[in-house]
Amino acid sequence: MKTRHLIDLDDLSLDELDRILDLAKVIMEHPPYYLDSCHGRLMATLFYEPSTRTQMSFQSAILKLGGQIIGFDNPSNSSVSKGESLKDTVRVVSNYADLVVIRHPREGTAKAASLFSRSPVINAGDGGHFHPTQTLTDLFTLLNTKGRLDHLTIGLCGDLKNGRTVHSLVKTLIRYPGNRFVLISTPQLSLPPYMKALLSKAGCDYIESASLQEAIGEVDVLYMTRIQQERFASAEEYQKQKGAFVLNMEILKKARYGLKILHPLPRVDEIDYAVDDDPRAVYFEQTEYGMFARMALILHMLDGSKKQLDPRPESNAGRCCENPRCITRTESYLPRLFKKTADGLCCEYCDAKQSGSLRTGGTGTDSSRVDI
Ligand code: CP
């Protein structure tokens, strides 16, 4: 049996997703029942990029389930600083741990790590690409505060281009019926084309707006995001976008009574502190919901047996992904993998669209994979 990994929530069926969310609710209501569920199990957290919530909520989750943790939160304190590759690090750590949770600034890293891991890999954020466990957190928050995951109008505001939490959330909410989206950003930070292609393909209604003030009255959920300085090519580019959207009490006057305001956090300046005391703000509750959601996910992913490495796909040598932030640009041994999608030819690690044309057929057993 192949090792299951969680690169994005698409790796789970809707039925599995619903079962995880149901389990999270049971755990939240009866934590003592689960105190020993992971006794003797070890989780590794490999954080190549800073984190407060994701790392600590995963650590809290495994400890509250009776398991233990190894890992690093600063790669310069590990053999990464001596030049060890991602492949070697993951291969070794997966010999020790039953679960590998990885965060990395490069897009496609979790997928790359999964090729060399004997234990399930969970993507804890790969550059500006995906952040599936934040989405699990967001879904559990919506269930507990709005009571449903369907027929919602969701406003997404801020850095929609680089916001991995936004990408994973949109990809998941389009799987539930009747959801529509209001995309609130500057033109420079709008949702990437491959994400808009997914919305269109799913038949999802969406509009774009450059004004939070005008859009806020239309939405049931407002998902605020930080404009992420670390994703910009230069400080000047960041300065041009900084402070573009700030939610304050004046703007909130135009919102619906039942609005719920979510934010993956950390916040910089995009939500005024005065908003924190408004009952519509649920972003601090969201962090606690995230811990229960991760407890349920850990139980779902830990299936017990240590596997041999799965066979790796053949290398599609001769071509490199065009995305300068893709993991394949720095870990040169990785097989080059491309797939045909609604948006054209894309890198299988980071989903970036490629300008090249297709040659023929599929590679190996995956019919969506292409030779180029
Ligand atoms: N939401 C989130 O990913 O926060 P951290 O960067 O603190 O983990």
Side-chain angles (χ1 to χ4, degrees):
M1 210 169 68
K2 287 179 81 171
T3 309
R4 291 282 309 268
H5 304 288
L6 187 79
I7 311 305
D8 199 23
L9 285 189
D10 283 357
D11 294 322
L12 301 172
S13 68
L14 266 191
D15 180 53
E16 281 179 298
L17 204 45
D18 290 342
R19 276 191 279 130
I20 292 169
L21 293 168
D22 286 348
L23 178 58
K25 193 164 179 60
V26 177
I27 296 171
M28 184 171 74
E29 287 167 356
H30 307 284
Y33 294 179
Y34 293 88
L35 279 175
D36 287 322
S37 307
C38 287
H39 181 76
R41 312 308 295 275
L42 197 55
M43 184 183 78
T45 50
L46 305 183
F47 276 61
Y48 292 76
E49 194 185 51
S51 166
T52 296
R53 277 144 293 274
T54 311
Q55 188 189 25
M56 291 193 196
S57 66
F58 262 115
Q59 293 178 341
S60 305
I62 190 82
L63 292 172
K64 284 174 185 252
L65 293 168
Q68 291 183 296
I69 318 155
I70 56 169
F72 56 74
D73 57 13
N74 182 353
S76 50
N77 292 336
S78 77
S79 287
V80 175
S81 66
K82 303 171 198 162
E84 187 162 61
S85 64
L86 177 80
K87 163 183 163 155
D88 290 359
T89 302
V90 169
R91 192 155 179 177
V92 169
V93 171
S94 77
N95 284 342
Y96 307 144
D98 302 296
L99 200 58
V100 177
V101 179
I102 186 163
R103 168 173 289 193
H104 199 284
R106 288 209 156 254
E107 294 164 14
T109 298
K111 162 81 184 176
S114 73
L115 301 181
F116 306 102
S117 179
R118 293 174 60 200
S119 301
V121 169
I122 296 180
N123 183 4
D126 58 333
H129 189 218
F130 293 143
H131 193 346
T133 68
Q134 179 62 48
T135 298
L136 206 54
T137 299
D138 303 337
L139 298 184
F140 194 50
T141 305
L142 287 177
L143 273 179
N144 281 285
T145 58
K146 290 300 291 182
R148 65 183 197 277
L149 299 177
D150 54 279
H151 298 93
L152 292 168
T153 299
I154 302 114
L156 299 143
C157 179
D159 186 350
L160 310 190
K161 178 183 174 198
N162 302 301
R164 58 195 176 194
T165 61
V166 167
H167 304 163
S168 286
L169 183 60
V170 169
K171 274 189 82 185
T172 306
L173 284 176
I174 62 177
R175 298 168 76 185
Y176 291 87
N179 288 328
R180 57 187 294 273
F181 298 88
V182 182
L183 308 175
I184 309 157
S185 76
T186 61
Q188 293 80 8
L189 295 181
S190 70
L191 202 66
Y194 80 90
M195 290 297 310
K196 287 184 189 163
L198 285 177
L199 282 169
S200 302
K201 191 174 174 212
C204 251
D205 182 22
Y206 73 90
I207 55 167
E208 295 188 87
S209 170
S211 167
L212 176 58
Q213 194 146 352
E214 284 171 19
I216 197 166
E218 285 191 41
V219 301
D220 303 310
V221 175
L222 178 61
Y223 196 84
M224 291 297 294
T225 61
R226 175 175 64 97
I227 295 183
Q228 302 175 74
Q229 184 167 11
E230 66 274 26
R231 309 277 178 234
F232 283 80
S234 68
E236 293 73 42
E237 292 299 309
Y238 171 66
Q239 286 301 328
K240 285 183 203 157
Q241 300 296 325
K242 186 178 180 295
F245 301 98
V246 179
L247 177 64
N248 55 32
M249 291 308 288
E250 195 53 37
I251 293 180
L252 201 51
K253 280 184 191 160
K254 299 182 189 307
R256 295 177 181 175
Y257 177 72
L259 175 75
K260 296 298 170 198
I261 306 161
L262 278 69
H263 191 312
L265 303 179
R267 137 178 73 180
V268 181
D269 56 6
E270 61 280 0
I271 301 182
D272 194 285
Y273 288 124
V275 175
D276 298 356
D277 297 325
D278 190 287
R280 290 169 286 190
V282 296
Y283 32 87
F284 289 112
E285 287 96 315
Q286 193 178 349
T287 61
E288 190 177 8
Y289 288 132
M291 181 185 67
F292 294 117
R294 289 181 174 108
M295 287 169 85
L297 178 68
I298 288 170
L299 288 175
H300 184 83
M301 298 292 289
L302 278 176
D303 66 356
S305 57
K306 187 67 97 183
K307 313 270 188 332
Q308 292 306 309
L309 274 181
D310 294 327
R312 273 184 297 285
E314 284 169 34
S315 180
N316 213 329
R319 178 180 182 129
C320 202
C321 173
E322 292 169 24
N323 175 8
R325 300 187 300 191
C326 179
I327 188 67
T328 57
R329 302 293 287 261
T330 50
E331 306 280 328
S332 57
Y333 51 83
L334 288 170
R336 309 286 162 78
L337 304 174
F338 298 92
K339 60 187 176 183
K340 194 177 172 184
T341 71
D343 192 36
L345 184 65
C346 290
C347 172
E348 208 168 305
Y349 296 89
C350 71
D351 286 291
K353 186 170 160 53
Q354 310 293 305
S355 58
S357 58
L358 308 182
R359 215 162 63 189
T360 50
T363 300
T365 53
D366 185 347
S367 60
S368 66
R369 186 169 291 149
V370 291
D371 297 328
I372 57 174

